[in-house]
Amino acid sequence: MVYTNISLTMKNEIKAAITGIDAYLPEYILTNQELSTLVDTSDEWIMQRVGIKERRILKGEGLATSDMGAEAAKKLLKKTGTSPDDIDLVLVATITPDMAFPSTACLIAEKSGIKNFWGFDVSAACSGFLFTLQTATSFIESGQHKKILLVAADKMSAITDYTNRNTCVLFGDAAVAMLIEPSTENVGVMDSLLQADGSGKDALFLRAGGSLKPASHATVDAGEHYIYQDGKAVFKVAVTKMADASVAMMERNNLSPDDLSWFIPHQANLRIIDAVGKRMGIGSDKVMINIQKYGNTTAATIPLCLWELERTLKKGDNLILSTFGGGFTWGSTFLKWAYNS
Ligand code: ACO
């Protein structure tokens, strides 16, 4: 019993810290102006109802999520002076894998020269990053792994119907890679509260292409390989769940809005972000927003925020991350930033 207590204490002293971050953004910029030539929409509607000005789209034959992920991973390895041989685990958050199998983790590792690893994909839609970060945290805190490559990447343009104005204005493509390593300096992932509820399955999903309804001429003709979303239903639940999880996270860690450097929400809709920030009592100057530039990049939204903030973040800065996505899946993570740039 005594030994168990000692080992638990020791284990808790090891935190999982993000020790480096880099991103890959496709060059092609899809503007509201261009979208208004494809469907009956306007810059005014999109800005007022969603807050997106433009998004990146991966163009080019034969390019997939793993290509974006590998570009981000290679930039990260170079930036942090990390040898691919030192990466012992690769975790990929995505709902747009190159194919059902093998995993995107295998493909990204192959393209990045990573050989001494094992790894897998995590499917949690827009909550993919926080779910994968918590998975990485468990592997670090248990002492099983020392240098994890976490990639959050989605090629949403592959499952977006550019004849459907309800969804085509929302999504973009991007990949972010980060290193997760152990730290004994009380920085990194401090706490996490994640949840899922499968009763949300009919509000946000891909109708076909899985084992329930394998792809066929009929499913393709019906556009069932494209994302389906009941926007209003998702909107309401997203605001409540993100705010409730984030408030609970702050309360149980005795954090007030003044203690936070940033609140970093999933970037799905500016109105959702504003509503969540208000419910939490956080001033808009502390709410990170970059949805106008990239749209909803699913697993990559929170990582893109961290990547953009990296140069200004200081070691020990308190960050609350918050997400909501298909499943439903949602949650909040309390992170203490681990380094000065
Ligand atoms: N341009 C112009 N009009 C449009 C557009 C558009 N791009 N899209 C919809 N409209 C129209 C609709 O057809 C409708 O017209 P009607 O009244 O004549 O029928 C009207 O605008 C209102 O449509 P709503 O769907 O009620 O619009 P709403 O204000 O709810 O906004 C949106 C839609 C942006 C999708 C919003 O509901 C939303 O953000 N939902 C949540 C998104 C989210 O958080 N997703 C979770 C993560 S995604 C993931 O997990 C992969």
Side-chain angles (χ1 to χ4, degrees):
M1 197 60 186
V2 172
Y3 289 119
T4 308
N5 284 341
I6 288 170
S7 86
L8 275 175
T9 308
M10 285 173 65
K11 195 174 93 175
N12 288 340
E13 283 171 2
I14 299 172
K15 299 273 188 253
I18 297 171
T19 55
I21 185 165
D22 217 327
Y24 172 80
L25 288 162
E27 272 176 31
Y28 192 85
I29 297 175
L30 177 59
T31 61
N32 291 347
Q33 168 60 32
E34 184 177 348
L35 279 168
S36 68
T37 67
L38 303 175
V39 291
D40 183 12
T41 191
S42 65
D43 178 59
E44 193 190 2
W45 192 96
I46 301 169
M47 285 304 288
Q48 267 181 13
R49 304 293 271 264
V50 201
I52 300 171
K53 196 80 192 161
E54 57 190 41
R55 56 300 276 148
R56 302 300 180 102
I57 303 294
L58 183 66
K59 297 265 187 185
E61 198 61 34
L63 293 179
T65 297
S66 71
D67 296 291
M68 296 192 296
E71 285 308 311
K74 285 186 279 188
K75 283 171 76 179
L76 172 73
L77 295 176
K78 192 171 171 203
K79 177 174 170 180
T80 56
T82 305
S83 163
D85 293 341
D86 292 338
I87 301 293
D88 51 17
L89 179 66
V90 177
L91 300 175
V92 178
T94 190
I95 52 159
T96 51
D98 290 24
M99 49 194 97
F101 69 91
S103 71
T104 320
C106 288
L107 304 175
I108 289 175
E110 172 69 11
K111 290 175 183 177
S112 314
I114 296 167
K115 305 271 184 226
N116 307 319
F117 82 106
W118 70 289
F120 54 91
D121 295 357
V122 175
S123 171
C126 292
S127 303
F129 171 60
L130 289 195
F131 280 40
T132 309
L133 182 61
Q134 184 53 32
T135 307
T137 298
S138 300
F139 280 116
I140 292 284
E141 288 182 350
S142 69
Q144 290 180 71
H145 286 283
K146 297 277 183 281
K147 226 178 249 296
I148 300 176
L149 172 69
L150 188 164
V151 177
D154 270 302
K155 184 187 171 189
M156 293 305 290
S157 60
I159 56 168
T160 298
D161 178 359
Y162 288 95
T163 65
N164 179 353
R165 70 177 182 176
N166 291 308
T167 49
C168 75
V169 303
L170 304 174
F171 299 102
D173 303 337
V176 181
M178 47 188 90
L179 269 184
I180 316 287
E181 297 181 273
S183 172
T184 51
E185 295 186 283
N186 205 36
V187 291
V189 176
M190 309 303 287
D191 195 7
S192 205
L193 196 167
L194 305 176
Q195 285 192 269
D197 177 359
S199 68
K201 65 188 186 329
D202 297 328
L204 186 50
F205 69 118
L206 272 192
R207 290 181 193 276
S211 60
L212 176 66
K213 221 183 211 196
S216 67
H217 281 296
T219 62
V220 172
D221 289 346
E224 293 180 336
H225 53 298
Y226 292 129
I227 195 162
Y228 168 83
Q229 174 170 252
D230 177 350
K232 268 196 198 324
V234 176
F235 192 107
K236 274 188 212 148
V237 196
V239 173
T240 326
K241 297 296 188 192
M242 283 170 77
D244 288 355
S246 304
V247 167
M249 179 55 56
M250 289 175 65
E251 279 176 4
R252 77 186 195 186
N253 287 281
N254 297 316
L255 293 168
S256 74
D258 286 346
D259 299 319
L260 294 190
S261 296
W262 288 99
F263 171 59
I264 307 181
H266 169 54
Q267 313 276 308
N269 185 320
L270 187 56
R271 288 186 294 141
I272 294 180
I273 295 171
D274 287 343
V276 172
K278 278 201 185 85
R279 280 174 80 117
M280 292 173 64
I282 293 183
S284 56
D285 56 326
K286 288 194 175 184
V287 179
M288 176 60 187
I289 295 167
N290 62 12
I291 190 174
Q292 69 282 4
K293 291 191 282 186
Y294 311 122
N296 183 350
T297 54
T298 302
T301 64
I302 295 172
L304 275 178
C305 290
L306 291 171
W307 172 66
E308 286 205 326
L309 286 173
E310 185 197 23
R311 266 175 293 166
T312 63
L313 290 173
K314 298 273 172 292
K315 186 172 178 177
D317 277 356
N318 291 324
L319 311 174
I320 293 286
L321 319 178
S322 182
T323 196
F324 185 85
F328 294 132
T329 53
W330 69 95
S332 179
T333 294
F334 168 29
L335 184 73
K336 264 188 191 292
W337 194 246
Y339 59 95
N340 300 316
S341 285

